Amino acid sequence: MSKFLKILKPNFSKQIRYFSRSVQNEDICIKVSESDEILGSIGKVECHKQPLSLHRAFSVFLFNDENKLLLQKRSLNKVTFPGVWSNTCCSHPLYNDSEIKEKDNKGIKMAACRRMGQELGLWNIPEDKFEVAGRFLYKAVMDDVWGEFELDYSLILRNINISNKYKLNRDEVDKVMFVNFIELQNMIQSGEKFSPWFMLFNRHGFIKKWFEDLTMHNIWARFNNVLAFTLTVLAASTFLAFVSSHILAKSTVATLNARNVRVKNIPSRIPGTPNNDFAHMELDIEVDLSDVFNWNVKELFVYLVADYKTKKNAFNQVTLWDQVVLRSDRVVINEKDLYPEYYFFDDGSNLLKHDNVSLTLNWEVIPNAGFMFHERAKGTHRIQFPSSYTVGRL
């Protein structure tokens, strides 16, 4: 009968040094303390005979893609608890260089992979599919000679599709079957015999919890899949919107004019520096932006600039006017006798008689999706600056 079940905290014990050892025709198990510290090696027969010795073990619970648990009925050839139903696979890590590894439960998972192949013919389940659900210490006495005293790692396999790929080792397994939680409880209530460690897991609610976790795991998996798909679609849509905005963008002609241009030479606002030229003019702006507003354009930031060169600077640019144009706004701009919104200052005395100052109309496209980009209208206007300064107020 089963004596007790003790749930252990994660193992942070220091790994001790050990020496490889083998005994002919007998597996060598890992002898441990109740806190899962390695005490040495022990033969499989010795640790299962009275008085029982605590050793490391594992129990695998494989759930398929229909959320059913794979049960095995233990072979009648088994020394302990033959002919009873149990979880998918139960065995021991061996006392060797590979399966004694404790970091990330590497040794336990390697042992589980080995035994899943040896007992069920399932050799192709990757180690990273095994999830350690906990460590459990239990003792179960079968008779006056044999029993189990194990520190048992429970390993969960989720969403494993094996169909009929298993090949049973009849010395270990009599038969297997998939059951859901209700079918499992019906088997127990009908009197089917189960291993004592399996009944401890069931009695303490762990098997029910693992079944319930499967449902939540599948819900989250579906949610994550839907979320990933949605984000992919959004990213693709954004990219297509960005590309289409450029492809659909049409060139627009603007008619620009500057009249009544005057220049005044004024003292610099910075003491000790040369005077500055200050220009004033009246502007005409005519442009139809209807074709710019394709399906992905939310609004435009339109601005008029003056570009020119001087001896000091190869490129100068001054913004004279701007306006935000929404899709719902009047997209045809027809401004006459417009005064600049921003002062036209030149850092020096370079505007007088200048014949290479060009007006251009630009806009930044703010899309519904994608990145903002710049466009410029066709058509420029060269400003004719006077040959003498204006005296008095502009």
Side-chain angles (χ1 to χ4, degrees):
M1 59 177 292
S2 56
K3 292 291 187 66
F4 60 90
L5 175 71
K6 182 176 181 181
I7 304 171
L8 301 183
K9 295 180 179 179
N11 180 17
F12 298 106
S13 63
K14 186 184 298 182
Q15 185 172 350
I16 65 173
R17 299 181 63 186
Y18 66 92
F19 299 93
S20 298
R21 173 184 169 194
S22 64
V23 176
Q24 187 175 6
N25 298 326
E26 184 181 5
D27 289 339
I28 305 302
C29 298
I30 303 171
K31 187 175 182 180
V32 294
S33 68
E34 290 192 6
S35 59
D36 202 17
E37 293 176 325
I38 298 175
L39 302 179
S41 62
I42 187 169
K44 183 177 179 181
V45 173
E46 181 183 354
C47 65
H48 288 87
K49 290 183 70 174
Q50 302 279 9
L52 304 174
S53 296
L54 181 60
H55 56 281
R56 193 174 286 174
F58 62 83
S59 294
V60 177
F61 294 78
L62 183 152
F63 295 89
N64 67 7
D65 50 0
E66 296 179 352
N67 291 352
K68 289 189 174 184
L69 172 63
L70 180 62
L71 299 178
Q72 71 153 271
K73 191 169 188 180
R74 292 166 65 84
S75 169
L76 292 173
N77 296 328
K78 300 286 282 187
V79 174
T80 58
F81 303 100
V84 301
W85 287 100
S86 193
N87 47 285
T88 310
C89 177
C90 313
S91 192
H92 317 86
L94 301 180
Y95 193 85
N96 59 36
D97 292 344
S98 298
E99 297 183 12
I100 204 169
K101 293 178 180 177
E102 295 183 334
K103 184 177 180 181
D104 300 324
N105 301 302
K106 180 77 172 177
I108 287 290
K109 293 180 180 180
M110 292 182 69
C113 287
R114 172 177 57 82
R115 289 302 294 175
M116 289 288 285
Q118 291 173 349
E119 292 188 14
L120 303 169
L122 300 175
W123 292 100
N124 297 321
I125 300 177
E127 285 180 26
D128 58 6
K129 290 288 187 181
F130 291 87
E131 303 174 27
V132 178
R135 295 182 302 153
F136 304 86
L137 192 153
Y138 79 94
K139 190 173 188 179
V141 176
M142 188 179 76
D143 53 32
D144 293 339
V145 179
W146 302 104
E148 298 281 4
F149 188 21
E150 296 182 331
L151 198 150
D152 194 13
Y153 285 69
S154 58
L155 299 173
I156 309 299
L157 289 169
R158 306 176 192 270
N159 199 32
I160 304 297
N161 183 10
I162 60 172
S163 60
N164 294 318
K165 297 176 183 177
Y166 41 78
K167 183 178 180 181
L168 304 185
N169 179 348
R170 296 299 179 180
D171 289 332
E172 301 284 347
V173 183
D174 181 44
K175 58 184 174 181
V176 295
M177 67 182 299
F178 277 104
V179 294
N180 60 33
F181 182 71
I182 295 176
E183 291 168 339
L184 173 61
Q185 299 309 309
N186 289 339
M187 287 178 66
I188 294 172
Q189 292 172 11
S190 67
E192 290 282 356
K193 299 297 183 182
F194 281 82
S195 66
W197 57 90
F198 186 91
M199 291 303 296
L200 283 170
F201 285 129
N202 186 68
R203 191 177 306 125
H204 286 270
F206 291 104
I207 292 178
K208 181 180 180 182
K209 178 181 182 299
W210 294 333
F211 268 104
E212 291 172 347
D213 287 347
L214 286 174
T215 303
M216 290 304 300
H217 183 271
N218 288 344
I219 291 173
W220 277 111
R222 292 191 187 102
F223 173 77
N224 287 332
N225 289 338
V226 171
L227 180 61
F229 175 76
T230 302
L231 292 176
T232 301
V233 171
L234 288 175
S237 300
T238 301
F239 175 74
L240 291 174
F242 174 69
V243 172
S244 67
S245 296
H246 288 275
I247 295 175
L248 297 174
K250 296 182 179 180
S251 59
T252 302
V253 177
T255 302
L256 308 172
N257 189 28
R259 296 176 288 101
N260 195 18
V261 181
R262 291 155 288 165
V263 180
K264 187 173 182 179
N265 193 247
I266 61 176
S268 172
R269 289 170 291 181
I270 303 174
T273 59
N275 287 359
N276 294 331
D277 278 353
F278 172 52
H280 195 270
M281 63 197 72
E282 296 172 10
L283 301 169
D284 297 335
I285 305 172
E286 185 178 349
V287 64
D288 186 351
L289 298 171
S290 302
D291 289 340
V292 179
F293 278 91
N294 61 55
W295 71 275
N296 191 40
V297 175
K298 180 181 180 181
E299 61 185 55
L300 304 175
F301 177 66
V302 184
Y303 53 99
L304 181 71
V305 297
D307 300 327
Y308 63 101
K309 295 180 181 180
T310 61
K311 292 180 180 180
K312 185 177 180 180
N313 298 315
F315 180 74
N316 300 274
Q317 187 174 77
V318 180
T319 300
L320 302 178
W321 170 90
D322 61 32
Q323 180 177 311
V324 175
V325 180
L326 303 177
R327 178 183 290 275
S328 58
D329 285 350
R330 177 172 54 90
V331 295
V332 176
I333 298 174
N334 189 9
E335 300 285 355
K336 301 292 185 181
D337 303 326
L338 182 70
Y339 291 130
E341 288 185 285
Y342 308 104
Y343 293 133
F344 191 163
F345 277 106
D346 177 74
D347 187 15
S349 301
N350 300 297
L351 296 182
L352 206 63
K353 298 182 182 180
H354 203 302
D355 61 355
N356 195 28
V357 179
S358 297
L359 290 178
T360 58
L361 191 67
N362 301 259
W363 54 84
E364 303 297 329
V365 178
I366 293 87
N368 293 304
F371 300 101
M372 185 173 67
F373 60 94
H374 172 264
E375 292 286 343
R376 173 178 289 186
K378 291 183 178 180
T380 61
H381 174 74
R382 183 167 294 180
I383 302 175
Q384 298 295 323
F385 281 90
S387 58
S388 60
Y389 288 116
T390 297
V391 179
R393 297 185 63 182
L394 291 177

